Amino acid sequence: MEKNNWQQPLLKRTDQDTESHPAMIDIPKFSTVDLRTVVPLLTDMLVLYSALTPYRSFELHNLFGQLLLQLQNGMRKSSPHARSYILGEKVASYLANHLEQPFDSGEMERELHYHFDYLARCLKQYSGMSPLQYRHHLQIERAKRLLKHSELSLIKIGEQCGFQDNNYFTRLFKRQSSYTPGEYRKQYQVFHVDSS
């Protein structure tokens, strides 16, 4: 059986995005389908299509997107690789929710109830990154948001992103963005608070 590649590469986002990013969806030839959710969607789509207007066209696109998601979810649930995909999502969520604490593989194992090596493989399949790479990506993205939208000091921003060592924060930030945090703030800060 062919192994599905469910890797979810993180998309580059900015606060200047005006249109959605291209997306991919796997449509199975054969899969378990929950008719209780799919049949009402198909019925609603037929009703909209019978008297199509520009407004109803938008609703039809929305329902079609829901149908595709239902088909994809059915494929994931019935796949032998479903557990690794779900665990990849759980590891990604765990890392996002624990950015301020020091990275602790043992704590991750205890909370998610799997060996760290297996969790790391699942995250790699899901995102293309190791847990530390994924954590660093999340930390730098949070730092960018804080640099753009707050007046917090660079040290406070580093701490809120889980960096106890400000020099390490600066080096990692520059490696991933080609700016130091201070340079990034000067370049991209959205507003300035006047203290006078």
Side-chain angles (χ1 to χ4, degrees):
M1 180 173 183
E2 185 179 319
K3 185 175 181 179
N4 291 324
N5 179 12
W6 288 333
Q7 194 173 98
Q8 301 291 311
L10 294 171
L11 299 171
K12 298 286 183 199
R13 301 168 302 166
T14 73
D15 56 3
Q16 303 298 312
D17 290 342
T18 57
E19 57 187 50
S20 60
H21 290 278
M24 294 184 342
I25 190 163
D26 293 314
I27 303 296
K29 281 185 181 178
F30 306 101
S31 177
T32 304
V33 176
D34 184 358
L35 293 178
R36 292 169 298 180
T37 56
V38 171
V39 169
L41 284 173
L42 291 171
T43 303
D44 290 347
M45 289 171 71
L46 287 171
V47 168
L48 288 171
Y49 189 73
S50 68
L52 200 58
T53 65
Y55 178 77
R56 291 178 136 215
S57 176
F58 179 75
E59 287 183 85
L60 186 61
H61 283 283
N62 187 22
L63 289 173
F64 182 64
Q66 291 177 44
L67 175 66
L68 293 177
L69 287 174
Q70 288 297 326
L71 293 174
Q72 189 174 48
N73 288 337
M75 181 183 66
R76 286 183 183 147
K77 289 175 186 168
S78 63
S79 164
H81 308 293
R83 183 174 70 174
S84 65
Y85 179 86
I86 291 166
L87 272 175
E89 284 189 330
K90 283 185 178 178
V91 173
S93 178
Y94 174 89
L95 291 169
N97 293 327
H98 291 81
L99 280 186
E100 292 182 33
Q101 292 96 32
F103 182 75
D104 184 343
S105 60
E107 183 59 32
M108 183 189 290
E109 282 183 342
R110 285 186 290 281
E111 193 161 322
L112 299 179
H113 309 291
Y114 287 93
H115 192 276
F116 178 74
D117 290 342
Y118 181 61
L119 294 172
R121 280 197 310 275
C122 291
L123 182 67
K124 182 82 169 175
Q125 184 179 353
Y126 174 78
S127 70
M129 296 185 222
S130 72
L132 206 51
Q133 289 170 327
Y134 194 85
R135 175 182 164 86
H136 286 161
H137 172 79
L138 294 174
Q139 287 173 307
I140 297 307
E141 288 304 307
R142 179 186 282 182
K144 285 178 180 178
R145 285 192 302 277
L146 290 171
L147 289 165
K148 285 182 187 178
H149 301 286
S150 80
E151 290 289 325
L152 292 171
S153 71
L154 299 181
I155 291 173
K156 283 283 183 208
I157 288 174
E159 288 172 358
Q160 285 195 13
C161 296
F163 295 102
Q164 303 310 313
D165 179 349
N166 194 49
N167 290 328
Y168 180 61
F169 168 50
T170 301
R171 282 195 314 273
L172 185 64
F173 192 94
K174 182 157 181 140
R175 188 179 334 141
Q176 293 204 11
S177 70
S178 73
Y179 292 101
T180 66
E183 291 167 345
Y184 187 88
R185 171 172 267 171
K186 283 180 190 163
Q187 181 79 21
Y188 294 105
Q189 190 168 36
V190 173
F191 65 89
H192 301 279
V193 176
D194 188 9
S195 58
S196 57

